[in-house]
Amino acid sequence: MPAPSISEVSALLADLAVYRTNAAGDYAELMSRKADLLERIAAHTPGDTEAAEVARLARARADALKADS
């Protein structure tokens, strides 16, 4: 699993900004993308328990949103 690129993180941030402004897009999908990036970051920072916990919480939230839709 490769570390996320700057362009991937930038694209997610841009999409989140659009969503916050216009509520346009699929929020569950955005949260899933966010969780994916956080999981990839955590995978590349072994021993960083905080990064792992943030990724775990993001995945749980994304999965809950997908289940609700």
Side-chain angles (χ1 to χ4, degrees):
M1 177 181 320
S5 68
I6 298 236
S7 62
E8 288 174 300
V9 174
S10 181
L12 175 66
L13 292 174
D15 290 345
L16 286 168
V18 168
Y19 183 84
R20 283 181 165 233
T21 303
N22 303 325
D26 182 352
Y27 185 67
E29 179 57 34
L30 285 172
M31 293 302 98
S32 182
R33 285 175 50 204
K34 176 183 167 185
D36 289 344
L37 291 176
L38 290 170
E39 287 169 340
R40 289 167 54 195
I41 290 168
H44 285 274
T45 54
D48 186 341
T49 57
E50 188 174 350
E53 179 65 5
V54 168
R56 185 191 68 74
L57 292 171
R59 174 55 57 204
R61 176 70 175 137
D63 290 348
L65 287 168
K66 287 212 173 202
D68 290 343
S69 55

